[in-house]
Amino acid sequence: MGEFKVHRVRFFNYIPSGIRCVAYNNQSNRLAVSRTDGTVEIYNLSANYFQEKFFPGHESRSTEALCWAEGQRLFSAGLNGEIIEYDLQALNIKYAVDAFGGPIWSMTASPSGSQLLVGCEDGSVKLFQITPEKIEFERNFDRQKSRILSLSWHPSGTHIAAGSIDYISVFDVKSGSAIHKMMVDRQYMGVSKRKCIVWGVAFLSDGTVISVDSAGKVQFWDSATGTLAKSHLIANADVQSIAVAEQEDSFVVGTAEGTVFHFQLVPVASSSTEKQWVRTKPFQHHTHDVRTVAHSPTALISGGTDTHLVIRPLMEKVEVKNYDAALRKITFPHRRLISCSKKRQLLLFQFAHHLELWRLGSTVATGTVEAMCLLAVSPDGDWLAASGTSAGVHVYSVKHLKLHCTVPAYNFPVTAMAIAPNTNNLVIAHSDQQVFEYSIPGKQYTEWSRTVQKQGFHHLWLQRDTPITHISFHPKRPMHILLHDAYMFCIIDKSLPLPNDKTLLYNPLPPKSESDVVRRRTAHAFKISKIYKPLLFMDLLDEGTLVAVERPLDDIIAQLPPPIKKKKFGT
């Protein structure tokens, strides 16, 4: 691997924003995530959980609700009182509509996906019709005395449940009238609280309404009679979110203590057809409030103040016990936030609303036009490679200002790419961890790339859960490709054989005392280092100097608000 002088950078004060909402789309197997700064991200769960689209936030937008509607349309709403639709092709805001009810706290699409319902600060519940081009206000439901903090449609589309402060309302959609008002219990561990906030509701096919509230309870209501059927006290703090599986056989809730609870519908007895809701599994993957949860067919998804997006597979739902069954915790964006000027030895840091330029010191160590997300320029300035939100890569001649060629289409999005000096070979990394090398002059894959695809990568390489975000090259060693993700730095030596599944991928170099013959025989093409992490950027400044930008998770946690204080036994 060689010896390098390393600029170990830890002054990139990047802090991801907390997660406010998640919305799962069963049709496309995509997950929308909104953060407290108004940023919205789209993850393709079928493409190795890759963050394929990104909408920058704005200080005037505070997203409180997020949902998918008919035709793969995405909407958000927040405290500025506007409903926003996103253009998923152009990657910008399509339009914004004022609901005229003050801040919006909740939103949900109808089961058919053709209507949108929002709950407002002034106690109003507003119904909008989703038209091909926009949304149109249809009517108001009966106004309530307090803000509408949560909403849920009955699967038939005939009724809705709305959670407020101290009560839950059930509305008839046709008339817009409230037919039941169910008062929640303010009691918390024997003490009456001043008020009880209903943070989430879920309306089931059998008429059951499930609610979660600030008194730490999960409660089951009979919407036909407006009465409480069952109550579970599960936390010493707020239960803030709920999501139900499409089959209505399980649901997940998140608490202010950072715990996620899983409930399942199970038979009362082994031979009984009668079923009951049972709390089966608690998970503690968060350090702070779990503000939002989602339930996909095979996983529980949660996010909150600690900025982590956690995807916990349901082992009984995963058919093959491979890497898809592993826990995913996504913290950093799947795109590069840092650029480097090698000649000037400068680093450019990208933040949400500003850029920072730092100078390094000395060290002793083609087609309905789409937004371009990744660019790579050849060192000689002759070629420009561009990749959009799809998996395609187009190469342009800078000299002639026209398209030179298009790299053959691949099913998974591009996460990083770079053009090698001298050869003008384009190296491309995809979200499924495949790496290709494409000759721009020859307009075809290189012989090395064809060999790689024929033999295949090591299974441990393909099972990594973080995408490659940067690729570069050694100025004096043309056979070396340098790349990294958040947790490892790798040099691929194309002159050496590829490792197969029977060899160690993380293979240390043999001792220098060994002969060159032995060292060459035991070596393979991949040299991997995990010293630097989380690694947001690494590149060569010259043939003997590396710059590595790290962002330790402890530094991020230290700047978050303190979690709920838990009383320990004996104190």
Side-chain angles (χ1 to χ4, degrees), residues 275-297:
K275 293 185 177 181
Q276 63 179 351
W277 287 104
V278 176
R279 188 180 72 188
T280 56
K281 299 170 186 174
F283 303 115
Q284 188 79 43
H285 300 304
H286 295 275
T287 59
H288 290 64
D289 301 41
V290 178
R291 299 294 304 273
T292 180
V293 292
H295 198 315
S296 80

Side-chain angles (χ1 to χ4, degrees), residues 48-192:
N48 202 20
Y49 301 86
F50 178 62
Q51 185 194 100
E52 65 178 6
K53 296 179 181 180
F54 168 80
F55 297 88
H58 191 275
E59 57 187 7
S60 66
R61 291 201 305 269
S62 175
T63 303
E64 290 292 323
L66 193 67
C67 73
W68 296 92
E70 184 181 27
Q72 311 299 313
R73 295 169 69 176
L74 181 64
F75 295 88
S76 74
L79 300 185
N80 63 356
E82 292 182 338
I83 303 170
I84 292 172
E85 182 173 5
Y86 296 89
D87 189 324
L88 299 181
Q89 299 303 317
L91 293 185
N92 57 25
I93 292 176
K94 192 173 182 181
Y95 61 85
V97 173
D98 196 324
F100 294 103
I104 298 174
W105 291 96
S106 53
M107 178 175 62
T108 181
S110 64
S112 65
S114 60
Q115 293 174 307
L116 205 61
L117 204 63
V118 297
C120 303
E121 172 73 17
D122 65 358
S124 63
V125 177
K126 298 176 181 289
L127 184 66
F128 290 81
Q129 195 70 29
I130 301 175
T131 65
E133 296 300 322
K134 211 172 182 181
I135 61 171
E136 296 178 353
F137 174 74
E138 190 167 318
R139 56 190 167 90
N140 284 316
F141 287 13
D142 287 350
R143 180 172 292 187
Q144 303 302 296
K145 293 182 179 179
S146 62
R147 63 181 63 146
I148 307 298
L149 292 160
S150 50
L151 289 167
S152 179
W153 288 82
H154 186 274
S156 67
T158 58
H159 295 82
I160 65 162
S164 299
I165 298 175
D166 292 334
Y167 63 91
I168 302 165
S169 302
V170 176
F171 293 89
D172 178 86
V173 173
K174 188 174 182 180
S175 67
S177 301
I179 58 176
H180 286 298
K181 182 177 286 187
M182 302 178 291
M183 304 301 295
V184 297
D185 187 4
R186 296 186 183 183
Q187 290 286 323
Y188 172 69
M189 299 185 73
V191 180
S192 181

